[in-house]
Structure formats: C-alpha cells, structure tokens
C-alpha cells in the first residue's frame, strides 16, 4: 500500500536510478557518520579540516560528474545527491567540495589543456591537491566583468605572465594548492583563466590571508588572493576560452549543486524541527506538534522542499541531455536558496529560546543559508537574469 512519506513527500526517489540511489546512500552514510560528529566544534572554532576533502576523494565523491582523469563520471543528479548529503550536515562543507569539484576541477576539465588535466585532475579527485576559484574582487562582486586583476607579459621571465590584483571572499584560498584566477589580459582586455600553483610562486608574489570572525559558513575556510606581479607560466592559462563565458560555465555546475544542496540543509531543519515539536510540551502537556500554527510551518517547509527537489532533478536530467539553459539553473538556484532560507528562519521559531543554542543546529543552518543565497549570484541578480530572458531587456545597469 502506498503511504505518504514526510521525508520524501512527492516520492522523488522514484525518479532516481539504482546507481543514483546507491551513490546517495554512500554519501549520506559518510556524511552522517564521519562529518556530522565534527561539525559543531569546527563551526565553533571556525576551523576547516582539509582531511575532509581527502576522505571524500577516497569515496570517489570529488569531481564525481567528470569523465576520466580519476573521476567517477556519474550523472548530474547523482552529483546533486552528493551535495544534498553534504549540505544536510553543513553548507560550509558543501562549499569546500563545490569549489574543488565544480569550479576548479570542472573548469580544468572543460577548458584546460591535456597537460593541465593529466597533471592536476587525478590528484584533485583524490583530495590531495586543493583548489580555489578567484572571481570576486573587493570592488566587483555581482559585476565581475568590471574586474581589475590583470595579466601582462612578465618583464624578465620569458614564457610567463605577471599577474597582479586582489580577489576576496574566496572559499578554500588559504589552503589551496591550485588557484584558478580570472584576470584580464592586458593586451586584449579580455578575461582569461590562469592556474596559479602555490608551490611555484616566488615569496611575496602570492598571499592568501584568511577572512576570520565570519558569522556564517564558519566550518568553511574563506580568504583573499593577493597577487603582486606573480609569475605564471603561459602554459598555465586556459588556451581557448575568453570573456565571462569561462567562469560562468564553471558556475553553471556549481549553482546546480547548490540548488540540490540547500534542499539537504532544509530537510535537516525539517527533521530537527519535527522531532523538537513532538518532544517539547507547552500548555496542558500538549506537544508543540499538536498546534495548527506549528503544523503549518512544517507543511510549508516540506512542500517547498519537495517542489525544489523535483525541479532540481528535472534540470539535472535536461543538463545531461544537453537541453538545460543557464536561465533554468538561475531559476532553481534562486528559488531553492530563497525557500531554504525562508523556511529555515520560520522553523527556527519552533525551537523558541533553544534555537539560540548551537546544540540544536538550526541557527547554524540559518546563518549558512544566508550565504548560499548570496554567493554564486545573489538571488536578486538571478531575478535579473530571469527578467532579461523573459522580457529581452537587461536591467543590470
Ligand atoms: P553577460 O553579458 O550576461 O554575459 C557575458 C558573457 O558570458 C556568457 N554567459 C554565460 N556563459 C555560460 N553560462 C552562463 N551561465 C553564462 N552567463 C553569461 C554570455 O553568453 C556572454 O558571452 P559572450 O561570448 O557573448 O561574451 O554579462 P554581464 O556582465 O552582463 O553579467 C551580468 C550577470 C549578472 C549575469 C553576471 O555578472 C552574474 O551572474 N553575476 C553574479 C556573479 C557571480 O555569480 N559570482 C560568483 C563568484 S564565485 C562564487 O561565488 C563561489 S562560492 C562557492 C562556494 O563556496 O560554494
Ligand atoms: P554586491 O555585488 O556589492 O551586491 C550587494 C547587493 O546589491 C546584493 O544584494 C545584490 O543583489 C545587489 N545588487 C548588485 N547589483 C545590483 C543590480 N544591478 N540591481 C539590483 N541589485 C543589485 N567568490 C568567488 O569568486 N569565489 C569564491 O570561492 C567565493 N566564495 C564565497 C564564500 C563566502 C562565504 C561568501 C560570503 C562569498 C563568496 N564569494 C566567492 C563571493 C560571492 O560570489 C559574492 O559575495 C557575490 O557574488 C555578491 O557580490 P558582493 O558581495 O560584492 O555584493
């Protein structure tokens, strides 16, 4: 007999293949057994343990959508199941993984030379080489096309560019070995991608200070990338891609992963709020779950989460068939981040004063989900991307 499952209200599992279900199961088990026990202390100490990426690499969870070079080559939806499992624990852990898998490995896979791919991807898939993606600058966030970072022929080293500029709010930058930096080539004024390898940078040409005392995403490490005439071999530039198409193509995959990831965070909020509402009693010994206002909060969140998950699965399938557009990805990234944040804020109310204690986890999700709504295109920016596609008129400036 078919029964209603509050944890999967619209039976999205029916849309997954056996392989996708198995990957989801492996990822969920790892995340619940090995990540969850560490997250509270990591968040309190604002400490990111890079070993996490190595552990994920051992399970084949890094760059999982990519073909070859030590990567698993699974479907886009299976990749989404991985981000959902990780973000059920913490958006910061998913961030560290998204940057490694989608933004840096994905960028090298799509735009790198054969030499770059063979040298870097297998070690990145194992989590032994860590990546960071530098697009945002102190003066240019939503509008990266105006970036000031510049690459010009190196004055003394033949066959090298000299990179100068500053990137900020860069996930993983303080611990990254390979920094994918987007900068304008002085000769053409066009944006190009450069693989800056920390081990090869002379002292004083690269620094990556951490940004401390964050009030969200504290289990992820964030920093700057400061380049001062840093020599980078010409062979480390992506050969063919120029303009914003380069970074935005990497963002398509990462934004997809976020759309499914934030549904994992919201599912965790729903499960924790439901348990709390069933256990906590107020007024004549009744559990909070007996009250209609509490039930509505849970019903709203479960509905948005089920709809968001189905939408992500649909776009994931279209992506693998080559039929997804960037606007579809903007739509699910915006909608799922907005609904996850809005519902998490409402579910937080169920915990009353206890929500203020980190032991209940809900406050951490709320703080993290603010960041997910902001990075990889703030929600209003995605509204403008959609508005442009609907009207044909661009409203950015
Ligand atoms: P626009 O004229 O729209 O486009 C310029 C060129 O780029 C192409 N393009 C895309 N290509 C592939 N995929 C996409 N999604 C694309 N979007 C645009 C476009 O076709 C065009 O190509 P061409 O060949 O004609 O030159 O450019 P614009 O300057 O008007 O852009 C405006 C806007 C708002 C769309 C864009 O700047 C934007 O999306 N801003 C948001 C910035 C953003 O998302 N930053 C993310 C930084 S990375 C990050 O946050 C990582 S956090 C990771 C973590 O911790 O999880
Ligand atoms: P701004 O661009 O200054 O925008 C501020 C506000 O104004 C937003 O609400 C925005 O929607 C609104 N706004 C801007 N322009 C318009 C307009 N034309 N019309 C209407 N509203 C507008 N970047 C990377 O490159 N790599 C990373 O790894 C990375 N990791 C991050 C990790 C964290 C923890 C955080 C917080 C950020 C990270 N970012 C990263 C940066 C992130 O992508 C940017 O913060 C984001 O793109 C927004 O840019 P901004 O912060 O400069 O905001």
């Amino acid at each position: 007999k078919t029964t209603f499952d509050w944890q999967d209200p619209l039976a999205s599992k029916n849309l997954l293949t056996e392989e996708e279900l198995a990957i989801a199961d492996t990822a969920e088990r790892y995340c619940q057994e090995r990540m969850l026990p560490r997250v509270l202390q990591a968040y309190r100490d604002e400490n990111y343990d890079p070993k996490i990426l190595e552990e994920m690499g051992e399970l084949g969870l890094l760059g999982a959508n990519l073909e070859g070079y030590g990567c698993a080559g699974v479907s886009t939806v299976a990749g989404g199941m991985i981000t959902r499992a990780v973000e059920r624990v913490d958006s910061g852990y998913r961030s560290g993984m998204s940057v490694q898998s989608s933004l840096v490995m994905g960028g090298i896979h799509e735009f790198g030379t054969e030499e770059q791919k063979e040298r870097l991807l297998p070690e990145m898939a194992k989590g032994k080489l860590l990546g960071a993606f530098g697009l945002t600058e102190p003066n240019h966030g939503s509008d990266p096309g105006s970036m000031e970072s510049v690459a010009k022929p190196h004055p003394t080293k033949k066959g090298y560019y000299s990179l100068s500029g500053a990137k900020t709010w860069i996930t993983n930058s303080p611990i990254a070995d390979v920094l994918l930096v987007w900068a304008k080539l002085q000769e053409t004024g066009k944006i190009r991608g450069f693989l800056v390898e920390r081990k090869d940078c002379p002292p004083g040409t690269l620094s990556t200070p951490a940004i401390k005392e964050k009030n969200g995403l504290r289990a992820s490490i964030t920093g700057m990338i400061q380049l001062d005439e840093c020599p980078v071999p010409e062979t480390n530039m992506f050969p063919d891609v120029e303009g914003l198409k380069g970074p935005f193509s990497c963002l398509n995959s990462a934004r997809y992963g976020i759309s499914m990831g934030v549904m994992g965070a919201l599912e965790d909020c729903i499960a924790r709020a439901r348990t709390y509402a069933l256990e906590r009693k107020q007024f004549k010994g009744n559990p909070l779950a007996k009250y209609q206002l509490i039930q509505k909060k849970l019903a709203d969140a479960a509905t948005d989460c089920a709809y968001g998950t189905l939408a992500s699965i649909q776009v994931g399938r279209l992506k693998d068939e080559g039929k997804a557009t960037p606007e579809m990805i903007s739509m699910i990234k915006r909608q799922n981040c907005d609904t996850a944040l809005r519902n998490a804020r409402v579910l937080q109310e169920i915990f009353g004063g206890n929500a203020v204690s980190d032991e209940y986890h809900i406050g951490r999700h709320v703080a993290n989900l603010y960041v997910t709504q902001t990075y990889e295109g703030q929600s209003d920016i995605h509204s403008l991307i959609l508005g442009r596609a609907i009207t044909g008129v661009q409203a950015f400036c």
Side-chain angles (χ1 to χ4, degrees):
K1 180 169 171 268
T2 306
T3 53
F4 180 77
D5 176 4
W6 65 267
Q7 294 181 88
D8 186 13
L10 296 177
S12 64
K13 274 204 187 88
N14 289 356
L15 300 175
L16 305 184
T17 64
E18 288 299 317
E19 188 189 48
E20 287 163 350
L21 288 168
I23 292 165
D25 189 54
T26 303
E28 292 289 354
R29 246 181 306 122
Y30 163 71
C31 293
Q32 292 300 308
E33 289 169 13
R34 311 261 314 267
M35 271 186 177
L36 184 59
R38 301 187 237 186
V39 71
L40 264 193
Q41 203 55 48
Y43 202 86
R44 283 174 192 163
D45 299 344
E46 207 174 6
N47 176 41
Y48 181 70
D49 181 358
K51 278 264 170 292
I52 285 178
L53 286 174
E54 227 176 296
E55 291 168 9
M56 296 185 80
E58 280 163 22
L59 292 172
L61 303 178
L62 297 179
N65 293 137
L66 307 177
E67 293 282 350
Y69 309 97
C71 304
V74 303
S75 69
T76 294
V77 170
M81 292 296 121
I82 298 171
T83 58
R84 187 172 73 152
V86 176
E87 197 147 357
R88 192 185 306 287
V89 176
D90 192 85
S91 304
Y93 286 161
R94 198 268 308 133
S95 242
M97 184 191 78
S98 293
V99 167
Q100 177 83 358
S101 295
S102 302
L103 292 179
V104 185
M105 293 177 70
I108 296 172
H109 196 271
E110 189 164 356
F111 300 118
T113 61
E114 200 50 40
E115 184 277 328
Q116 292 165 359
K117 292 184 207 182
E118 281 173 12
R119 184 161 57 82
L120 299 171
L121 288 179
E123 289 303 289
M124 294 192 81
K126 290 183 200 147
K128 294 204 185 292
L129 270 185
L130 304 188
F133 181 88
L135 181 64
T136 306
E137 300 190 348
N139 296 323
H140 310 284
S142 300
D143 175 23
S146 304
M147 70 173 61
E148 295 164 55
S149 294
V150 67
K152 47 188 171 189
H154 197 279
T156 55
K157 289 183 89 157
K158 201 166 164 355
Y160 279 73
Y161 285 110
S162 163
L163 259 66
S164 294
K167 302 286 177 181
T168 194
W169 288 112
I170 307 302
T171 302
N172 290 354
S173 81
I175 54 169
D177 306 291
V178 182
L179 302 109
L180 171 48
V181 172
W182 300 93
K184 282 184 180 159
L185 206 55
Q186 194 184 44
E187 303 152 83
T188 61
K190 294 271 168 61
I191 295 170
R192 304 295 296 250
F194 296 86
L195 295 165
V196 179
E197 294 182 65
R198 189 188 294 273
K199 66 176 175 31
D200 298 333
C201 297
T205 61
L206 168 72
S207 60
T208 54
I211 299 172
K212 300 300 281 182
E213 317 302 349
K214 295 187 305 229
N215 55 24
L217 226 73
R218 290 173 60 84
S220 153
I221 185 161
T222 319
M224 295 189 73
I225 301 175
Q226 294 164 337
L227 295 153
D228 185 8
E229 299 190 358
C230 182
V232 177
E234 283 169 9
T235 50
N236 274 25
M237 183 174 81
F238 288 162
D240 297 322
V241 69
E242 59 177 25
L244 282 173
K245 183 172 176 289
F248 284 150
S249 300
C250 309
L251 283 162
N252 289 335
S253 292
R255 287 169 175 172
Y256 178 80
I258 294 177
S259 79
M260 197 68 101
V262 292
M263 294 295 96
L266 180 55
E267 281 173 342
D268 195 52
C269 296
I270 294 168
R272 290 180 187 280
R274 176 181 174 275
T275 302
Y276 189 86
L278 287 166
E279 288 172 358
R280 173 79 174 170
K281 298 193 172 59
Q282 287 296 288
F283 294 99
K284 304 201 177 191
N286 289 319
L288 294 177
K290 184 176 184 305
Y291 299 118
Q292 293 164 356
L293 292 173
I294 300 287
Q295 292 198 359
K296 181 170 186 308
K297 289 175 183 176
L298 290 164
D300 286 346
T303 304
D304 283 342
C305 196
Y307 272 60
T309 303
L310 289 183
S312 283
I313 292 174
Q314 161 71 353
V315 173
R317 295 278 179 247
L318 291 172
K319 196 164 180 289
D320 287 344
E321 290 166 20
K323 294 179 184 162
T325 66
E327 289 81 7
M328 291 179 192
I329 292 171
S330 280
M331 185 177 279
I332 56 172
K333 196 277 179 184
R334 179 183 85 129
Q335 179 72 3
N336 290 5
C337 289
D338 285 356
T339 56
L341 176 60
R342 188 174 62 239
N343 283 291
R345 278 175 173 157
V346 171
L347 292 172
Q348 189 176 23
E349 294 165 3
I350 294 176
F351 295 79
N354 282 334
V356 181
S357 160
D358 65 2
E359 304 274 353
Y360 288 85
H361 297 270
I362 186 96
R364 178 169 55 80
H365 280 309
V366 171
N368 284 340
L369 287 167
Y370 169 78
V371 178
T372 68
Q373 193 205 42
T374 300
Y375 61 27
E376 306 220 7
Q378 203 273 345
S379 277
D380 286 346
I381 296 300
H382 288 293
S383 306
L384 299 183
I385 291 171
L386 290 167
R388 176 174 62 184
I390 294 165
T391 63
V393 183
Q394 78 95 341
F396 297 104
C397 50

